[in-house]
């Protein structure tokens, strides 16, 4: 596992990417080199900034470049994400990472990425990595409405694949949810990241079709490195386990899905 | 060069800055990010006689100027701590001091943990946690003078190692509890644990925290921590460790001037693991600027206004 690094990183770019959604790029060579798809970083503004909510928050790594840039998909949900969304050059964010267990990607089966909302982010990285390693990968990406959809051209440029788009209101792509109209004939390895109801539906689907599934979970996080024990999820054995260090990517059967 | 060392609890602390219990795990989690052996020391996550499962999520959420948590003392229990966690601390914290935070449902529980660890190497002493707001009986001993006195007296009989009692802020007069600890044989006090609080998701009309309520920490509680440290330190002659919202050298100095001999950095570590080292550097910088040669010169060095 990679060793996490703490670094101040300059904001190189911040542009609107969809409704309430920003594409942020940070200059962060100390972290970019070691990162793997599915890993995350904690982004914050440091202990002296009391104008912002105090805790940093976790973001999946969306892209990384050879010259040390990290790209993130940031959707404004509250005060903390709003503060980060307002930042631009020449400001810096405090970054801790890379953190957590990445997706296990192998060539055993084609990879089918199921992305709900900003759950798209780790699959940008996974797609780029799959292209490098010559792995077959598809992306199904759903949003509520067209105005929330991240630019499909950018997805294509980053990953080399055409995203299969879904919106609930049908304004862009096919009308429906991520799991509607799925083609599973190639018996893929499923990778899922999105809201909890979507993940649960993925678990049902994988079980029904006998397909392997890895999920990236999200829980409120304090430290990101396993000390605070804040971000627990229920394991299949009934224990509370930390999503920051034991996840955020789990095989579906490692977790309990009882409500 | 300012001398940051403190001689107390029968030993030397190379600096007054410790990491607070519950914010640094068992040390190893921060090994790559914090030079643990270059600070004053750390206090472990609570250790109970039996492993504890902890509370359901959400366990943490942010609040203005801080956070609320209800972890519920999830920990590996005495035996696994002794076998799996303590050896790492012994090997890696050679100069920095280690206090083991101890919890229990009963005085017997606390006693079992102390007795079970006392013969081991690799730590200085105990921080007795009578002040967790997030489990049913977490503040039982911290808010009942008779029970507190009996607990500290009992533990005093079980160990010669330093016993530091971590006080709760949720009492009408902290100086009373500080004096009870001192009279019952405690060697030091930690002031303070978190304040009970609650956060409500108005859209869902539900408590945000799975445990319903939690403990509030972070910069928002700094003035309360400084005040209660001042009250406690003024009431006793044993050393007090100041805790609550520290994120800079000046924050730590407020506690030190209020009477704290040592301080603990907690929630700030989540925001920036480098904050403990920065607090340490900030204290050194202050001492240089003010010509303070040794830290004890300014402990409790607050100048109060003349009574009118």
């Amino acid at each position: 596992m990679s060793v996490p690094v703490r670094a101040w990183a300059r904001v190189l770019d911040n542009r609107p990417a969809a409704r309430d959604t920003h594409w942020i790029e940070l200059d962060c060579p100390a972290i970019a080199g070691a990162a793997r798809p599915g890993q995350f970083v904690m982004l914050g503004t440091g202990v002296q900034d009391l104008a912002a909510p105090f805790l940093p928050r976790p973001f999946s790594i969306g892209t990384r470049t050879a010259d040390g840039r990290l790209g993130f998909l940031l959707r404004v949900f509250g005060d903390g994400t709003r503060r980060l969304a307002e930042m631009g050059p020449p400001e810096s964010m405090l970054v801790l990472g890379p953190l957590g267990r990445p997706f296990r990607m192998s060539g055993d089966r084609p990879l089918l990425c199921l992305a709900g909302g900003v759950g798209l982010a780790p699959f940008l990285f996974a797609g780029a990595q799959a292209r490098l390693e010559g792995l077959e990968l598809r992306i199904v990406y759903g949003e509520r409405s067209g105005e929330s959809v991240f630019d499909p051209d950018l997805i294509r440029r980053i990953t080399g694949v055409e995203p299969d788009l879904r919106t609930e209101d049908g304004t862009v792509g096919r009308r429906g949810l991520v799991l509607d109209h799925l083609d599973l004939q190639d018996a893929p390895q499923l990778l899922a990241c999105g809201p909890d109801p979507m993940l649960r539906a993925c678990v049902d689907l994988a079980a029904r079709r006998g397909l392997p599934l890895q999920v990236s979970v999200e829980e409120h996080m304090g430290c990101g490195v396993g000390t605070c024990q804040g971000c627990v999820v229920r394991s299949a054995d009934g224990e509370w386990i930390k999503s920051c260090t034991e996840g955020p990517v789990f095989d579906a059967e490692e977790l309990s899905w009882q409500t | 060069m300012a001398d940051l060392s403190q001689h107390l609890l029968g030993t030397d602390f190379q600096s007054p800055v410790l990491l607070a219990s519950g914010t640094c795990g068992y040390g190893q989690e921060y090994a790559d990010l914090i030079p643990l052996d270059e600070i004053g020391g750390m206090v472990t996550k609570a250790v109970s006689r039996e492993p504890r499962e902890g509370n359901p999520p959400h366990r943490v959420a942010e609040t203005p100027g801080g956070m609320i948590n209800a972890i519920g003392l999830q920990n590996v229990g005495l035996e696994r701590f002794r076998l799996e966690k303590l050896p790492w601390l012994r090997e890696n914290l050679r100069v920095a001091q280690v206090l083991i935070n101890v919890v229990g449902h009963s005085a017997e529980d606390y006693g079992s943990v102390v007795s079970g660890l006392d013969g081991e190497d690799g730590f200085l002493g105990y921080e007795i946690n009578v002040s967790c707001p997030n489990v049913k009986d977490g503040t039982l001993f911290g808010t009942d003078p008779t029970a507190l006195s009996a607990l500290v007296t009992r533990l005093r009989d079980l160990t010669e190692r330093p016993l530091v009692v971590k006080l709760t802020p949720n009492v009408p007069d902290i100086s009373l509890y500080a004096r009870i600890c001192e009279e019952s044989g405690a060697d030091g006090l930690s002031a303070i644990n978190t304040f009970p609080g609650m956060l409500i998701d108005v859209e869902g009309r539900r408590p945000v925290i799975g445990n319903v309520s939690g403990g509030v920490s972070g910069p928002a509680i700094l003035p309360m921590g400084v005040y209660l440290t001042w009250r406690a330190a003024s009431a006793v002659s044993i050393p007090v460790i100041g805790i609550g919202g520290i994120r800079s050298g000046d924050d730590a100095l407020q506690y030190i001037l209020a009477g704290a001999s040592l301080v603990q950095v907690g929630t700030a570590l989540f925001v920036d693991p480098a904050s403990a080292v920065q607090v340490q550097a900030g204290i050194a910088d202050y001492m240089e600027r003010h010509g303070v040669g040794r830290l004890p010169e300014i402990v409790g060095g607050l100048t109060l206004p003349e009574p009118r």
Side-chain angles (χ1 to χ4, degrees):
Chain A
M1 192 61 79
S2 48
V3 172
V5 173
R6 170 245 184 227
W8 284 99
R10 276 185 308 132
V11 180
L12 298 173
D13 197 5
N14 174 358
R15 54 195 133 103
R19 182 182 181 179
D20 295 333
T21 308
H22 294 244
W23 179 252
I24 307 263
E25 285 189 6
L26 302 178
D27 180 24
C28 208
I31 292 172
R36 301 284 307 164
Q39 288 192 298
F40 68 98
V41 301
M42 300 297 282
L43 294 184
T45 53
V47 290
Q48 298 310 324
D49 180 13
L50 285 192
F54 197 56
L55 294 178
R57 37 194 45 61
F59 288 91
S60 287
I61 297 169
T63 59
R64 63 122 177 243
T65 61
D67 60 351
R69 284 182 175 226
L70 289 176
F72 302 93
L73 201 49
L74 185 154
R75 186 159 288 173
V76 175
F77 285 105
D79 294 343
T81 39
R82 187 172 303 112
R83 168 80 180 108
L84 294 175
E86 285 165 356
M87 294 181 76
E91 292 178 286
S92 292
M93 293 186 193
L94 186 58
V95 191
L96 192 63
L99 302 170
R101 184 164 65 150
F103 288 114
R104 273 86 63 206
M105 296 168 56
S106 75
D108 296 349
R109 291 169 184 257
L111 301 166
L112 176 55
C113 305
L114 305 169
V118 278
L120 172 69
F123 299 128
L124 297 175
F125 193 176
Q129 190 68 26
R131 177 149 68 158
L132 276 179
E133 295 179 14
L135 303 175
E136 196 182 327
L137 175 142
R138 290 185 287 145
I139 297 175
V140 181
Y141 166 38
E143 289 280 5
R144 218 160 253 158
S145 177
E147 61 196 7
S148 301
V149 171
F150 184 68
D151 184 355
D153 281 338
L154 269 176
I155 300 175
R156 197 179 310 116
R157 258 188 282 159
I158 293 165
T159 65
V161 303
E162 185 74 38
D164 182 355
L165 287 177
R166 309 289 160 80
T167 51
E168 289 177 37
D169 62 6
T171 45
V172 170
R174 292 169 87 164
R175 180 193 295 270
L177 303 171
V178 170
L179 298 194
D180 295 338
H181 330 288
L182 275 190
D183 174 5
L184 300 172
Q185 294 208 357
D186 56 355
Q189 162 72 58
L190 303 174
L191 308 175
C193 184
D196 191 59
M198 184 197 114
L199 294 187
R200 290 175 182 278
C202 291
V203 171
D204 287 344
L205 174 78
R208 239 178 17 248
R209 303 294 290 264
L211 296 172
L213 166 66
Q214 296 171 32
V215 295
S216 177
V217 302
E218 184 164 25
E219 179 50 57
H220 286 196
M221 221 172 250
C223 66
V225 297
T227 70
C228 80
Q229 310 199 69
C231 61
V232 295
V233 291
R234 188 70 103 174
S235 77
D237 300 333
E239 285 178 36
W240 294 117
I241 57 175
K242 295 176 272 198
S243 59
C244 65
T245 51
E246 296 181 60
V249 175
F250 293 94
D251 288 323
E253 56 266 29
E254 290 180 274
L255 300 181
S256 163
W257 297 94
Q258 289 169 0
T259 43
Chain B
M1 185 62 192
D3 179 1
L4 284 179
S5 69
Q6 277 283 45
H7 185 84
L8 47 88
L9 301 177
T11 191
D12 288 310
F13 289 79
Q14 63 184 336
S15 116
V17 179
L18 317 184
L19 310 184
S21 179
T23 65
C24 55
Y26 302 109
Q28 199 167 0
E29 295 91 335
Y30 268 137
D32 297 324
L33 291 161
I34 302 177
L36 292 170
D37 217 16
E38 292 172 22
I39 59 174
M42 61 164 278
V43 189
T44 67
K45 176 74 185 164
V47 178
S48 53
R49 188 173 70 180
E50 306 298 334
R52 290 203 194 177
E53 183 191 36
N55 290 330
H58 301 309
R59 287 180 171 186
V60 295
E62 51 194 11
T63 56
M67 66 181 290
I68 183 168
N69 89 81
I71 308 300
L73 300 175
Q74 179 170 354
N75 80 93
V76 297
L78 167 65
E79 267 321 289
R80 279 187 58 200
F81 173 78
R82 198 170 60 78
L83 295 171
E84 298 171 17
K85 308 297 181 184
L86 189 55
W88 189 91
L89 290 166
R90 187 185 299 138
E91 282 303 303
N92 290 277
L93 276 73
R94 302 293 186 119
V95 183
Q97 301 292 351
V98 176
L99 291 172
I100 298 173
N101 187 280
V102 179
V103 291
H105 294 295
S106 64
E108 290 76 16
D109 272 1
Y110 283 93
S112 305
V113 176
V114 167
S115 302
L117 292 171
D118 217 47
E120 300 288 330
D121 289 329
F123 70 105
L124 172 66
Y126 308 97
E127 181 178 71
I128 305 304
N129 183 352
V130 294
S131 45
C132 176
N134 302 324
V135 295
K136 207 174 94 222
D137 47 13
T139 57
L140 189 71
F141 292 94
T143 55
D144 177 341
T146 311
L148 181 63
S149 170
L151 176 67
V152 176
T153 303
R154 178 190 190 104
L155 298 179
R156 180 72 291 161
D157 286 343
L158 294 176
T159 181
E160 310 225 312
R161 290 175 184 268
L163 275 180
V164 176
V165 182
K166 187 169 184 177
L167 299 174
T168 171
N170 309 306
V171 289
D173 181 6
I174 199 168
S175 58
L176 168 71
Y177 295 83
R179 273 196 298 269
I180 287 169
C181 291
E182 182 177 42
E183 286 160 9
S184 306
D187 301 292
L189 302 170
S190 291
I192 50 173
N193 210 319
T194 54
F195 286 82
M198 188 171 179
L199 200 60
I200 294 171
D201 164 15
V202 294
E203 294 298 324
R205 302 187 183 182
R206 292 163 157 273
V208 172
I209 293 293
N211 185 53
V212 179
S213 65
V216 178
S217 63
I221 71 164
L222 179 94
M224 292 95 106
V226 171
Y227 172 66
L228 292 166
T229 294
W230 176 65
R231 290 292 308 275
S234 303
V236 297
S237 57
I238 52 177
V240 175
I241 308 177
I243 323 169
I246 295 174
R247 65 197 162 93
S248 69
D250 281 3
D251 292 345
L253 282 153
Q254 291 198 49
Y255 279 93
I256 290 167
L257 291 168
S261 301
L262 304 171
V263 295
Q264 293 179 15
V265 177
T267 305
L269 297 175
F270 300 160
V271 183
D272 186 354
S275 56
V277 171
Q278 289 167 355
V279 166
Q280 197 164 281
I283 298 170
D285 178 60
Y286 176 93
M287 290 171 67
E288 300 275 345
R289 281 191 290 117
H290 290 264
V292 179
R294 297 186 61 250
L295 201 56
E297 293 169 27
I298 53 170
V299 169
L302 176 69
T303 307
L304 292 171
E306 293 294 327
R308 281 190 297 177

